[in-house]
Amino acid sequence: MKKKLVILTGAGMSAESGLRTFRDADGLWENYPVMDVASADGFARNPALVHKFYNDRRRQLIDALPNAGHIALADLERQFDVYVITQNVDDLHERAGSSHVLHLHGELMKVRAIDDPDLTFTLTPPDLSTTPSTLIDGHRVRPHIVFFQEAVPMIEPAIEIASEADVFVVIGTSLAVYPAASLLYYVRPSVPIFYIDPNPASVPEGVTVIREPATKGVATLRHILLSALDS
Ligand code: OAD
């Protein structure tokens, strides 16, 4: 039976695809006030601004491509049962071919009905823009994104996946946002944990830090994991 390889990714995973991270120098939160564009209060105050912010993100995403890191993670499905838990709202893991991708913070290409949170719609080019007055099937819509001040409904299944990991890998996240960052603490004690990030946050003792960007770091990880399978 294949071992379960669980990967938690953040914005750094997609940085080499040209998508900006949030908290690095020149990151998104340096250029946009986070509580205006990504919080429940901000959306209530100025929904047009929030729609515009995510319309811009969508336009960037359709021009972006999965990088070698996304592709190598999908490729590891040949040797492992790979589960990706991502904080990213982009679809680059899916486009790279990963089969199991859980989005903790929502999905950029989806919107949902304001009056029925279970009703989601996938936007398709060229119609990637929404405004406060957009109607889809008669519903006003909002980004299918978890705003600050909102619950993270996918955390329960994510905890279950993390607690079943045989190997756990964290890639490209500042581990600043909870509950996503807490997933590390649900990994069983004897399970090896790797953390790929050129500028890693502090992590518990015992975590193997690979201080490299995602493309190079996933190649390093792949080498370590495949050597361990052979031995
Ligand atoms: P951050 O912007 O907080 O952190 C990005 C991380 O990526 C940092 O640790 C960088 O060192 C690292 N990094 C930069 N370039 C990299 C590269 N080429 N390869 C690998 N790592 C690289 O982004 P997140 O931790 O993902 O939520 O942020 C978490 C959440 O905060 C996001 O999902 C978003 C944001 O607010 C929502 O909007 C709901």
Side-chain angles (χ1 to χ4, degrees), residues 90-106:
D90 66 52
D91 56 0
L92 297 180
H93 284 299
E94 287 93 335
R95 283 202 252 149
S98 280
S99 313
H100 306 290
V101 183
L102 183 153
H103 286 273
L104 274 178
H105 293 161

Side-chain angles (χ1 to χ4, degrees), residues 10-12 16 22-24 29 87 105 146 148 172-174 197-198 214:
E16 290 160 278
F22 297 95
R23 295 177 183 77
D24 287 305
W29 294 160
Q87 296 168 87
H105 293 161
V146 175
F148 283 99
T173 170
S174 61
D197 197 302

Side-chain angles (χ1 to χ4, degrees), residues 4 30 36 48 53 65-66 68 73 87 97 181 189 191 200 203 218:
K4 191 160 184 163
E30 208 164 82
D36 287 349
F53 177 74
L65 292 172
L73 290 181
Q87 296 168 87
V191 166
V203 279
V218 176

Side-chain angles (χ1 to χ4, degrees), residues 9-17 19-24 27-29 34 37-38 53-54 67 86-89 104-106 145-148 152 171-178 180 195-201 210 212-217:
T9 64
M13 185 76 228
S14 300
E16 290 160 278
S17 293
L19 301 180
R20 268 148 74 189
T21 64
F22 297 95
R23 295 177 183 77
D24 287 305
L28 285 168
W29 294 160
V34 50
V37 298
F53 177 74
Y54 289 105
N67 62 49
T86 187
Q87 296 168 87
N88 298 345
V89 297
L104 274 178
H105 293 161
I145 300 278
V146 175
F147 292 144
F148 283 99
V152 181
I171 306 177
T173 170
S174 61
L175 293 168
V177 172
Y178 283 79
Y195 178 26
I196 300 169
D197 197 302
N199 185 19
I210 300 174
E212 292 173 348
T215 50
K216 188 154 185 275

Side-chain angles (χ1 to χ4, degrees), residues 210 212 215-225:
I210 300 174
E212 292 173 348
T215 50
K216 188 154 185 275
V218 176
T220 304
L221 172 80
R222 183 186 152 80
H223 181 73
I224 295 170
L225 295 180

